[in-house]
Amino acid sequence: MSDQQEFPDIDLNDYADPENAESNSSHTGLALPGQNLPDKVYIIPIHNRPFFPAQVLPVIVNEEPWAETLELVSKSEHHSLALFFMDTPPEDPRHFDTSALPLYGTLVKVHHASRENGKLQFVAQGLTRVRIRTWLKHHHPPYLVEVEYPHQPTEPTDEVKAYGMALINAIKELLPLNPLYSEELKNYLNRFSPNDPSPLTDFAAALTSATGNELQEVLDCVPMLKRMEKVLPMLRKEVEVARLQKEISAEVNRKIGEHQREFFLKEQLKVIQQELGLTKDDRSADVEQFEQRLEGKVLPPQAQKRITDEMNKLSILETGSPEYAVTRNYLDWATSVPWGVYGEDKLDLKHARKVLDEHHAGLDDIKNRILEFLAVGAYKGEVAGSIVLLVGPPGVGKTSIGKSIAESLGRPFYRFSVGGMRDEAEIKGHRRTYIGALPGKLVQALKDVEVMNPVIMLDEIDKMGQSFQGDPASALLETLDPEQNVEFLDHYLDLRLDLSKVLFVCTANTLDSIPGPLLDRMEVIRLSGYITEEKVAIAKRHLWPKQLKKAGVAKSSLSISDGALRALIDGYAREAGVRQLEKQLGKLVRKAVVKLLDEPKSVIKIGNKDLESSLGMPVFRNERVLSGTGVITGLAWTSMGGATLPIEATRIHTLNRGFKLTGQLGDVMKESAEIAYSYVSSNLKSFGGDPKFFDEAFVHLHVPEGATPKDGPSAGVTMASALLSLARNQPPKKGVAMTGELTLTGHVLPIGGVREKVIAARRQKIHELILPEPNRGSYEELPDYLKEGMTVHFAKRFADVAKVLF
């Protein structure tokens, strides 16, 4: 078989309607249903969907193994073969199960056969249903069978005609819905009549997108009425699907059309507005926006010149270029700075006092210090920039005091934490050349508050880090120096900013880790801890109502007695601040809410007895103040507040002279101990002790709570007193605590943290103290309620201490 066509060539247009059957039958190669049907035909299985008698369609099959079959068909008189549908194609078409073929196939006339790329293509014209009677050759292709044709009743009944009309109507409905069915199909329809229902029904079935098996059922169904009953629902379903598809498609088109219309109208509007000068392009709009921002601002000449230059540059750059984005970003920041815009201060001392009292209980010395600061501002007419450093233990209200200062002045407040900050660019900004460059936090703060004189809080200034990226503490030196910050330079803006009117409030827990030059620029205000009375007032006025509000509990449903508050403070929250106290009160409220859910109408009153059941055993016990020979109570300052520090001395043996120290002591305290030992040893006779005591004794000095590291220059006097008590073998006076540093010549040196130490002594119910004479002024400045009931001896030399103790 060559590549060329070997079969009679027919023109499908010659296929006219059945009425002209006579004239058509004389044409070579054309066949009509029921005309000279062969008894023996070759068969080819097809796999996509069944072929119907009413169809004229191209069919493609593999050259191997069907070339021989088609060659034999071409040599036959009738040029016909039978097509049978197989749902699943066999692995090898040369050997397949003959029982897998369905009952009926379709006899087709073959036209226009051709070969290309291993495929055979021909146009098949369906003639009639065909059924295999016997297999004449079935071991391998070509397959030859003897066939028979089903008998069709000639006269249709009324019912069949009715179904025929229904099918034609359904097909006509389908035509406008599916553009695939074109004009030729309409002509095809016109040729069918209800009087010849069989091809109509087959044609209708072929139009549907039903599965191969469903269509085979139609092919197998010879009785006319039954076949129509099967096909009509299939066709109706096809109409519904087509209608739904058309609706979806119309909706999608409508939406796309709307968007396109909107887009075109917007573009046209843009062009029209630009032509009329009503709007600017993106570049002009940006420049205009930046110019509007600068209205009402007073720029220094240098800043004005730089911004004007950048605006000119922006107006000639292409909007798509990277440089445009960089310049636009720069101008965005530069024009957001509130140049020359200052808020008005409320310099009313009564208002300030009221705000401070509302927000804070106690802290009178701090409030007075702030009021003095405001009074100077009121007298002068402006509060010039100042740098205040609030130092104190955690939880005493340093951050909230900063907020209160801002509120009493009526200035905007901006807070950022510098704890853990390691990059100096956070303060001074990145250079503009870097990708993602930003100004420093101070420029960002000014942009947010929109005035040049806010209150800016730098929280946790003692916890700043250092790294290879720079030292932020050094970057703050320029910021926090009232002499230099008139011309603060941000790296990103590269413009001089006047920060001299900003009020900086810094907070820290200790001063040790703040670099000296930075500390030197700040005015230190110390916040020491609260005594029990202050804590009770804070709990009643602030913390308890806050916890009730947080839990949504009415004051009438839940209350706590003053006695329970005191017991709570003494047993569970003794630290200097009030954070732990707030947590414990929150815990009490949560426990009470659980009970209120069970009994909503009940009223809960928390007393002393309820604390243990809600909070467990007290964390702090009433420490028994140690007493006896060689035991002295000292006073110490810690970052968490003040504490009592008992010191014990004992003689281990008299075999040889020696001195041993224990208790996690730092270098300074070890030196204090050495000095105390040397001083007492050399002056023992003058204090009424046996001069030979230390020559023979091995002495051990211990500071209890060995797990806690201790260091600081304030325990010399206490250690010397313990050693003297041991040497005289005489217990010291009971109920006395002391603090002070000692020199080798017996002078008592001043110490720090007097307030914290007095509070620690009161907490332990010690009312007699020995303090260094140079600290008399610090003690006199303490509030009266702290000094009330206290007996204080001021010592210039160690002899004064010994007089009080022995």
Side-chain angles (χ1 to χ4, degrees), residues 487-668:
E487 291 201 325
F488 172 76
L489 185 69
D490 181 88
H491 288 161
Y492 179 82
L493 291 180
D494 207 20
L495 295 172
R496 299 280 174 186
L497 289 162
D498 181 3
L499 299 183
S500 63
K501 299 288 188 287
V502 176
L503 175 54
F504 288 101
V505 180
C506 308
T507 71
N509 295 132
T510 62
L511 299 179
D512 310 347
S513 53
I514 301 174
L518 188 57
L519 191 58
D520 183 47
R521 286 162 162 76
M522 300 188 269
E523 202 170 326
V524 178
I525 298 180
R526 285 186 179 277
L527 283 84
S528 30
Y530 299 104
I531 57 171
T532 306
E533 286 73 16
E534 288 175 331
K535 281 189 175 179
V536 170
I538 292 167
K540 283 167 77 173
R541 279 171 49 186
H542 299 289
L543 306 180
W544 183 251
K546 182 179 169 184
Q547 290 299 331
L548 289 179
K549 188 180 175 186
K550 197 174 171 183
V553 178
K555 287 181 185 174
S556 54
S557 305
L558 180 59
S559 60
I560 185 168
S561 68
D562 286 8
L565 272 179
R566 283 178 181 279
L568 175 66
I569 290 160
D570 284 340
Y572 300 87
R574 264 192 208 174
E575 86 292 354
V578 291
R579 210 165 270 149
Q580 192 62 29
L581 174 58
E582 189 174 0
K583 285 180 191 168
Q584 299 297 346
L585 289 172
K587 206 170 183 182
L588 286 175
V589 171
R590 289 197 300 275
K591 300 266 183 193
V593 168
V594 174
K595 293 178 191 168
L596 285 172
L597 280 175
D598 293 337
E599 302 165 34
K601 297 275 169 70
S602 59
V603 175
I604 297 175
K605 290 182 178 174
I606 299 171
N608 287 27
K609 293 173 187 173
D610 305 316
L611 292 181
E612 276 191 29
S613 61
S614 293
L615 303 176
M617 296 300 285
V619 182
F620 301 98
R621 299 279 173 192
N622 281 337
E623 293 170 20
R624 198 167 53 81
V625 176
L626 302 176
S627 61
T629 303
V631 180
I632 301 284
T633 303
L635 294 171
W637 178 92
T638 70
S639 64
M640 302 294 282
T644 54
L645 194 68
I647 290 178
E648 305 168 325
T650 185
R651 182 172 65 176
I652 301 174
H653 57 73
T654 55
L655 298 175
N656 61 332
R657 181 190 178 98
F659 183 56
K660 182 180 181 182
L661 273 175
T662 52
Q664 272 263 39
L665 305 180
D667 292 342
V668 177

Side-chain angles (χ1 to χ4, degrees), residues 299-327:
L299 276 75
Q302 179 211 3
Q304 181 70 61
K305 182 177 182 300
R306 167 65 66 81
I307 289 174
T308 308
D309 290 349
E310 293 290 333
M311 293 251 212
N312 293 338
K313 181 176 164 187
L314 191 76
S315 57
I316 58 168
L317 284 169
E318 276 304 318
T319 48
S321 78
E323 185 64 19
Y324 182 87
V326 172
T327 308

